[in-house]
Amino acid sequence: MASDDIAQLADALSKTHVGDGELSYKGLGLKLDNAESAEQLAQDIKQYQGLRALRLEGNTLGVEAAQAIAKALENKDMLQRCYWSDMFTGRLRSEIPPALRSMGSAILSAGARLTELDLSDNAFGPDGVKGIEQLLKSPSCHTLRELKLNNCGMGIDGGKILAEALIECHRQSSSLGAPLRLRVFIAGRNRLENEGAGALAKAFQLMGSLEEIHMPQNGINYSGVMALASAIRHNPELRVLNLNDNTFTKKGSLPMAQALRHLRNIQVINFGDCLVRSEGAVALAAVLREGLPILKELNLSFGEITEAAALVVAQAVADKADMEKLDLNGNCLGEEGCEALREAMENMNKGDMLESLSDDEGDEDDEDDSGNDDDDDDDDDDDVSDDCNEENEEGSEIAKENGITTNGNSPVSPNSPAEITSFLSCPSAEQLLQLGELRTDLQQEVDASEPQKAADVILKISSLYSEDPETKTAVLDTIDAMLRKLLSGSTLQSYCFLSTLLVMMGLLKGEGKTKKALLVPGQLLCLEHAVQQEYFPKHDASLLHIFLSRNGGVLKSCGSARERLSSALERRCQD
């Protein structure tokens, strides 16, 4: 080594931080290519008694240098925390796995029990994960509490290898009576996609101990989100969930909302830039109303959320005493919508909670507000169709488990009486009256877990409304019985049903292939009657009122019925 290099290295090493069981070379910019260049560092490690933490971030290690450091670690049985991020800058990817293996083997030889391992910002790909695979499976990681692998380029294969290693570590540690209880998992910017996320979800579910999950920017679409949703339900101590910059859409948002209902300790939710959209935002608002008691931060920025849905979210945080931050920036509120949201938050004395709206995308064009999102959703589905064909069956099971389906359903239950089947296939007032006592069986045709089918049946029957006393009574009694059933479950189920109803009425831009109904005044008059009944919760009426007041122009063909419904909703909200 040249004398200048030696002097430079000596100067850098003189800045080494020592204390509290920690030896730190953080940010020194050391370029350690071989054993000779790492000699002094290795000597420092050997001589340090009671080493508990080793910081090597911001340096660069070659294979031989890593082996020299590993040799020094072989008797450091008290080592617990390895801060080894950004440790291979400028190295060939082929150099990284053997370097990691040698250092991992040294930890095993020492019999150390790690609590924290940080290998972030090392672009080692799936081969790098293989380099730490044995370490992660070993007794040295049975005590691991924090695993940080941010920006490592693991990819799908790396995600799978990592998941299997964690599962094996849990299996082995459980057999010894002390199962792995990982608390913090960080793996953003790793291109995990659906398969990698799905594999890790199995590990998360098995461990059930996570308090923080950070997986932003991983190219995860709805099927991967659904798998993660199923897993987080089994992690009741979860405090932070960061899935920023993945793609939820409605298919991922609804299962995720259902999963969040099971979490009582969550404090930070970051679903920014996740294409949650309005239906997803409404579902999350429902969860806010009935759960998440100590939530502090909610990020739903850049999610194509419209003004009405944003106002529903704002109302839902009104009673959150611990809430500190609500981020709805970059959505589709428009200038008037931004002002309405600010005013709503100020009226609840929560104006300081709302983050800036400076990047709002503007109100959606009327021509796009068609109740159908064919272009966007077809693109989303095409992006993941090849990857998700094998996952569709599993995804359907997850959705079923979550209590809400996201696709269309058969218009008639398979065991329905022939008269009911005939009536629903081509409903008429005359047929409804002819059903007589069988009308009570119509309740069996709707269920909150199938919102699209329920909304379709409600709209069909309410379209038969007339001022004929017998018909009016039959229609209203039937609608009352159905809505009483549909709105008696969780707030999430009722919001999902009502948002689907709003989509079919053209008051909310939806996703997929949901078609708008041909509206007639009778449907609005049935709703006018319903919202005044005891069974219709005030917060459900408020949801309808917000969307009707913002998008009521689409109901102008219904004339005075629209005004009557609007007035009834306003009175109900003021009760």
Side-chain angles (χ1 to χ4, degrees), residues 40 125 268 369 388 456 468 494 501 506 530 557:
Q40 183 60 56
V268 178
D369 193 13
C388 296
D456 182 55
D468 171 68
S494 65
L501 184 68
S557 62

Side-chain angles (χ1 to χ4, degrees), residues 217-230:
Q217 288 184 290
N218 269 299
I220 303 169
N221 289 294
Y222 72 87
S223 64
V225 173
M226 290 170 77
L228 290 171
S230 187

Side-chain angles (χ1 to χ4, degrees), residues 3-195:
S3 58
D4 288 346
D5 292 336
I6 294 173
Q8 200 172 35
L9 179 59
D11 179 62
L13 289 174
S14 69
K15 300 173 185 176
T16 301
H17 168 75
V18 178
D20 301 324
E22 179 180 290
L23 187 56
S24 176
Y25 302 89
K26 181 179 179 180
L28 297 185
L30 302 176
K31 189 172 186 294
L32 308 178
D33 296 324
N34 50 42
E36 182 185 2
S37 62
E39 184 178 355
Q40 183 60 56
L41 190 152
Q43 190 64 28
D44 290 347
I45 293 173
K46 283 180 182 179
Q47 293 176 354
Y48 194 102
Q49 298 300 312
L51 182 65
R52 288 181 171 83
L54 178 60
R55 308 198 75 111
L56 296 174
E57 314 99 304
N59 300 290
T60 177
L61 276 62
V63 176
E64 291 183 16
Q67 289 170 345
I69 293 170
K71 187 70 176 175
L73 288 172
E74 286 180 351
N75 65 347
K76 299 301 175 182
D77 60 339
M78 297 179 69
L79 183 64
Q80 297 177 337
R81 302 184 303 279
C82 298
Y83 303 105
W84 296 349
S85 63
D86 190 19
M87 201 170 65
F88 297 107
T89 301
R91 300 294 171 183
L92 296 175
R93 181 173 287 189
S94 59
E95 294 181 81
I96 301 175
L100 289 173
R101 283 194 194 96
S102 62
M103 295 175 75
S105 296
I107 292 172
L108 269 66
S109 297
R113 295 293 185 267
L114 298 185
T115 59
E116 184 172 355
L117 177 60
D118 186 355
L119 287 165
S120 299
D121 300 316
N122 291 309
F124 50 48
D127 288 340
V129 184
K130 292 178 183 177
I132 59 171
E133 184 179 6
Q134 289 308 117
L135 173 62
L136 290 174
K137 290 179 178 180
S138 75
S140 289
C141 284
H142 288 183
T143 50
L144 197 62
R145 296 294 178 263
E146 299 187 21
L147 178 59
K148 301 175 182 179
L149 295 166
N150 200 58
N151 190 31
C152 289
M154 290 190 288
I156 293 171
D157 291 339
K160 289 180 176 180
I161 295 167
L162 176 61
E164 287 302 319
L166 291 174
I167 289 170
E168 179 62 18
C169 183
H170 186 273
R171 186 191 68 79
Q172 291 187 21
S173 58
S174 296
S175 69
L176 297 173
L180 170 66
R181 293 191 56 79
L182 192 67
R183 293 174 186 161
V184 177
F185 180 83
I186 300 177
R189 299 183 67 187
N190 271 291
R191 303 192 307 275
L192 294 170
E193 301 184 17
N194 294 328
E195 290 184 65

Side-chain angles (χ1 to χ4, degrees), residues 540-550 566 569-570 573:
D540 287 344
S542 177
L543 172 67
L544 292 180
H545 184 246
I546 288 173
F547 277 92
L548 182 61
S549 63
R550 264 71 191 171
S566 181
L569 286 168
E570 191 168 348
C573 293

Side-chain angles (χ1 to χ4, degrees), residues 12 82 86 130 232 286 323 350 354 359 370 391 404 413 420 522 571 573:
C82 298
D86 190 19
K130 292 178 183 177
I232 69 170
M323 197 77 174
K350 293 186 179 292
L354 185 65
D359 295 318
S370 60
E391 298 171 349
I404 298 171
S413 299
I420 297 290
R571 290 194 301 272
C573 293

Side-chain angles (χ1 to χ4, degrees), residues 396-428:
S396 298
E397 288 303 312
I398 295 170
K400 186 177 180 181
E401 176 189 355
N402 285 329
I404 298 171
T405 59
T406 57
N407 299 318
N409 298 279
S410 170
V412 183
S413 299
N415 298 321
S416 300
E419 295 89 343
I420 297 290
T421 302
S422 176
F423 167 70
L424 289 175
S425 64
C426 189
S428 69

Side-chain angles (χ1 to χ4, degrees), residues 141-429:
C141 284
H142 288 183
T143 50
L144 197 62
R145 296 294 178 263
E146 299 187 21
L147 178 59
K148 301 175 182 179
L149 295 166
N150 200 58
N151 190 31
C152 289
M154 290 190 288
I156 293 171
D157 291 339
K160 289 180 176 180
I161 295 167
L162 176 61
E164 287 302 319
L166 291 174
I167 289 170
E168 179 62 18
C169 183
H170 186 273
R171 186 191 68 79
Q172 291 187 21
S173 58
S174 296
S175 69
L176 297 173
L180 170 66
R181 293 191 56 79
L182 192 67
R183 293 174 186 161
V184 177
F185 180 83
I186 300 177
R189 299 183 67 187
N190 271 291
R191 303 192 307 275
L192 294 170
E193 301 184 17
N194 294 328
E195 290 184 65
L200 286 165
K202 293 177 182 177
F204 296 167
Q205 182 166 328
L206 184 65
M207 291 184 292
S209 57
L210 287 166
E211 297 178 11
E212 296 186 25
I213 297 175
H214 302 262
M215 297 175 66
Q217 288 184 290
N218 269 299
I220 303 169
N221 289 294
Y222 72 87
S223 64
V225 173
M226 290 170 77
L228 290 171
S230 187
I232 69 170
R233 293 178 59 175
H234 299 272
N235 287 266
E237 300 303 316
L238 193 66
R239 294 184 294 104
V240 179
L241 180 59
N242 177 7
L243 295 176
N244 188 284
D245 199 8
N246 290 292
T247 305
F248 281 38
T249 69
K250 176 183 175 181
K251 291 181 180 180
S253 296
L254 298 192
M256 184 58 72
Q258 178 68 16
L260 290 172
R261 291 180 65 229
H262 297 264
L263 304 180
R264 309 294 296 176
N265 296 302
I266 198 157
Q267 298 177 25
V268 178
I269 296 174
N270 186 344
F271 294 160
D273 204 11
C274 281
L275 213 62
V276 167
R277 292 181 174 153
S278 294
E279 286 181 276
V282 169
L284 291 169
V287 179
L288 281 166
R289 279 195 174 276
E290 63 182 349
L292 309 181
I294 59 173
L295 187 68
K296 293 183 178 180
E297 298 181 17
L298 176 62
N299 185 345
L300 296 177
S301 60
F302 299 94
E304 295 189 2
I305 298 169
T306 58
E307 174 193 355
L311 288 170
V312 172
V313 172
Q315 282 192 355
V317 304
D319 298 327
K320 298 298 173 190
D322 296 317
M323 197 77 174
E324 299 173 357
K325 184 185 297 184
L326 175 62
D327 193 346
L328 288 164
N329 194 24
N331 283 297
C332 304
L333 310 185
E335 187 175 340
E336 292 183 4
C338 288
E339 187 56 38
L341 180 59
R342 291 190 192 98
E343 183 179 346
M345 296 295 288
E346 290 289 349
N347 290 341
M348 295 185 294
N349 296 318
K350 293 186 179 292
D352 293 341
M353 178 196 304
L354 185 65
E355 293 290 284
S356 168
L357 300 173
S358 59
D359 295 318
D360 187 73
E361 296 287 340
D363 198 2
E364 293 180 328
D365 294 334
D366 290 340
E367 61 182 340
D368 291 335
D369 193 13
S370 60
N372 226 331
D373 202 12
D374 292 339
D375 292 339
D376 287 348
D377 281 305
D378 286 348
D379 288 344
D380 291 338
D381 290 343
D382 288 344
D383 288 342
V384 299
S385 60
D386 292 338
D387 296 332
C388 296
N389 285 338
E390 295 179 1
E391 298 171 349
N392 283 342
E393 185 174 342
E394 179 182 355
S396 298
E397 288 303 312
I398 295 170
K400 186 177 180 181
E401 176 189 355
N402 285 329
I404 298 171
T405 59
T406 57
N407 299 318
N409 298 279
S410 170
V412 183
S413 299
N415 298 321
S416 300
E419 295 89 343
I420 297 290
T421 302
S422 176
F423 167 70
L424 289 175
S425 64
C426 189
S428 69

Side-chain angles (χ1 to χ4, degrees), residues 426-446:
C426 189
S428 69
E430 182 181 1
Q431 279 185 301
L432 180 65
L433 294 174
Q434 288 175 354
L435 286 176
E437 293 183 359
L438 276 178
R439 282 200 297 272
T440 59
D441 289 349
L442 286 169
Q443 295 179 53
Q444 308 307 315
E445 299 301 318
V446 296

